[in-house]
Amino acid sequence: LEYFTPAEKQVKFLEERDKWKRTPAHVAAFADAGEVLKLLSEKGASIHRPLGSTLVDREAVALVRHSKKLDNGKIVDEWHLGKIYHVGFGLRGEPPLVRFTYEKEGGEISQPEDVNLERCKLAPTPLVIAETNKCYSAMSVLKTYWAVVTEHVDLTEAELHQEASEGALPAGVLAAQGKGQVLRDLVAA
C-alpha cells in the first residue's frame, strides 16, 4: 500500500475482505448498521458487492438456511454464513449436496455438514444479507442507493429491488438496460 495516496489506501481498506470474503459493508449489513453503511458509501466503499463467486465450488461462500427446534417445539429457520468444503452429486435429478463449514462464535470452524443446495444463497450481496436476516435499518439504506437507478431504467422500483436481491449490481442493471451514458454520467458526478 505504500505506493498509494492516503485516499486510495482508505478505499482499498474499505474493500478489504476477510477469510469469509466479507467486506465492511457485509459486516454492517449483518449487524443491521444502516448508519455505518451510509458512512462506508460516503467514504467510497462499494456496498453492493457479492460475497465472492456464485459458482458452486470449494471455498465459495453462501447464506445457508438451517431449521432449528426451539424449547417450545416450534421450528424456526436461521441463516448462517457458510463456506463450501466439498461438492457432491445429487441423485436422480435432485440438487447436489454441498458440504459446508461455519464460523462459530470465537472464530472456531464447525465440522463439515451436508446441506441441500436449495437451502443456500450463494455469494449474497449486503442487501441479500439484510433482507434474509430481517435487518431493516441496513435494508432501508441499501435500497435507497438503488433509487438513482430507478430514475433511468425501464424497471419499477420493486423489479430493481428483486434484481438487487438476486445479486445484480446497479451498474450492471444500467448497462443491461442500454443506459451506458447514464452510467458514465453517474460515475463522473
Side-chain angles (χ1 to χ4, degrees):
L1 288 178
E2 62 206 42
Y3 301 106
F4 298 103
T5 67
E8 290 171 326
K9 287 180 186 177
Q10 177 180 317
V11 171
K12 287 203 170 292
F13 172 74
L14 295 173
E15 297 298 325
E16 200 168 294
R17 293 178 181 265
D18 67 7
K19 65 183 178 183
W20 289 84
K21 300 181 175 58
R22 293 174 291 209
T23 65
H26 295 104
V27 174
F30 270 114
D32 198 17
E35 291 301 315
V36 172
L37 286 163
K38 285 181 190 175
L39 181 64
L40 287 168
S41 180
E42 289 168 9
K43 295 296 181 182
S46 169
I47 58 170
H48 298 296
R49 289 218 170 129
L51 266 171
S53 172
T54 58
L55 297 176
V56 180
D57 201 4
R58 186 174 166 88
E59 298 293 312
V61 178
L63 283 175
V64 182
R65 187 177 71 221
H66 290 277
S67 296
K68 178 181 177 182
K69 190 172 187 177
L70 301 177
D71 291 337
N72 63 6
K74 184 179 177 183
I75 297 175
V76 296
D77 283 339
E78 291 183 339
W79 291 87
H80 299 280
L81 192 62
K83 191 181 287 185
I84 295 179
Y85 178 79
H86 174 77
V87 179
F89 295 100
L91 301 174
R92 297 189 187 124
E94 292 195 16
L97 281 178
V98 180
R99 184 165 279 196
F100 280 92
T101 56
Y102 305 94
E103 185 177 44
K104 296 180 179 180
E105 294 203 23
E108 184 182 333
I109 306 299
S110 71
Q111 291 296 314
E113 177 183 322
D114 288 340
V115 178
N116 187 309
L117 195 56
E118 291 177 343
R119 297 179 67 84
C120 304
K121 295 182 180 187
L122 283 167
T125 63
L127 179 58
V128 171
I129 290 166
E131 287 181 333
T132 302
N133 291 296
K134 296 176 179 63
C135 297
Y136 298 109
S137 174
M139 211 180 340
S140 173
V141 169
L142 291 164
K143 285 186 175 187
T144 61
Y145 288 103
W146 282 84
V148 173
V149 179
T150 44
E151 298 170 11
H152 302 285
V153 295
D154 301 322
L155 295 172
T156 66
E157 190 172 333
E159 290 168 324
L160 273 176
H161 290 164
Q162 181 62 35
E163 291 279 336
S165 70
E166 292 171 1
L169 305 178
V173 172
L174 286 168
Q177 290 277 310
K179 308 291 184 173
Q181 186 57 50
V182 171
L183 185 54
R184 285 187 286 282
D185 292 346
L186 288 172
V187 169

